[in-house]
Amino acid sequence: MSYQHRAAGEHELDLPLGKVVCIGRNYADHARELNNPVPTEPILFIKPATSVVPMEEAFTVPEGKGAVHFETEMAILIGETLKDADEQQAMHGIAGIGLGLDMTLREVQDSLKQKGQPWEKSKCFDGACPLSAFLSPASVNDLADVQIRLTVNGEVRQDGNSAQMLTPVLKLLSYASQWFTLEPGDVVLTGTPAGVGPVQPGDQLRVELVDLLRVETSVKALG
């Protein structure tokens, strides 16, 4: 499996693929739809580089491991090392803005949560993180006002705005950098709006930062 960060438009990128830092339950409505408590501070977990695949290509989902859910997220590509960063430093550390799908084995995750165990089995499998190409940060006027939308087989399933985040983007980057260093090539997924649900082989997906970036992709069967 291989992956290289790609630029949308004329934006130039030359960054290695690093870790993917994910933010859990950063939209209150999403926390509630899964009967989870609304967190009082960001929930962090990490997907390995082996989970990343290009969103523009059809991708597979595991079979025989229960329902696989989509979670559509605005993705932030890190271009400068951030350690104990403030929000101003975090802003300058952004190299690109794109889309990510945090694919989740929901039944596996529910079982792990009931046992008080980490989520990695449900979140970190190969192909668990389709990523789009990245826009230049200058393409986005306001990180706190970006519409995030997912359409499955012509039906809008997720339609939220980054203004609804419990912790906004720059605060997220600053917070994460207090716990571990963010390095050039790392990606931060900033949380998903309400409306998550299962996908099946053959489903057609349209993933959008509305009026900024749109990706058409699909789920294919294994083999």
Side-chain angles (χ1 to χ4, degrees):
M1 181 180 300
S2 63
Y3 178 91
Q4 183 175 354
H5 289 306
R6 294 144 295 129
E10 297 179 358
H11 184 214
E12 293 185 4
L13 290 174
D14 184 17
L15 292 168
L17 173 62
K19 60 185 176 289
V20 180
V21 178
C22 304
I23 314 300
R25 306 176 196 168
N26 198 29
Y27 290 74
D29 286 349
H30 169 59
R32 295 187 186 106
E33 75 179 343
L34 296 182
N35 297 315
N36 290 319
V38 176
T40 57
E41 62 181 288
I43 297 172
L44 305 178
F45 62 96
I46 293 176
K47 290 178 181 270
T50 50
S51 70
V52 177
V53 292
M55 184 183 288
E56 292 83 358
E57 299 178 10
F59 60 92
T60 60
V61 294
E63 294 182 344
K65 295 181 179 177
V68 186
H69 280 203
F70 54 77
E71 298 187 12
T72 310
E73 315 204 9
M74 182 165 64
I76 305 296
L77 177 62
I78 303 301
E80 298 180 9
T81 299
L82 297 177
K83 180 174 176 60
D84 297 324
D86 60 26
E87 291 183 38
Q88 187 72 14
Q89 292 167 325
M91 181 177 66
H92 288 295
I94 296 175
I97 298 165
L99 287 157
L101 290 172
D102 173 13
M103 305 305 294
T104 304
L105 291 166
R106 189 66 71 200
E107 293 163 29
V108 174
Q109 185 189 36
D110 289 345
S111 176
L112 292 169
K113 285 162 53 180
Q114 290 172 4
K115 297 173 184 176
Q117 296 178 1
W119 301 348
E120 276 80 358
K121 290 180 183 177
S122 67
K123 293 278 193 178
C124 298
F125 53 88
D126 289 355
C129 188
L131 285 180
S132 74
F134 286 88
L135 296 163
S136 165
S139 302
V140 181
N141 292 327
D142 186 356
L143 288 171
D145 184 19
V146 178
Q147 197 73 14
I148 301 157
R149 183 177 297 158
L150 175 72
T151 304
V152 180
N153 299 327
E155 177 185 355
V156 175
R157 301 292 297 277
Q158 291 187 274
D159 197 8
N161 192 285
S162 60
Q164 300 166 318
M165 291 181 180
L166 296 172
T167 304
V169 171
L170 296 182
K171 286 186 178 180
L172 282 178
L173 300 183
S174 174
Y175 180 88
S177 78
Q178 312 302 314
W179 293 96
F180 39 72
T181 302
L182 299 176
E183 299 177 309
D186 288 350
V187 173
V188 178
L189 298 187
T190 55
T192 191
V196 303
V199 290
Q200 306 288 340
D203 283 347
Q204 304 294 312
L205 280 61
R206 177 184 298 158
V207 196
E208 298 178 83
L209 299 178
V210 177
D211 296 329
L212 295 169
L213 181 63
R214 184 173 73 182
V215 178
E216 305 275 354
T217 190
S218 61
V219 183
K220 65 180 180 181
L222 291 173

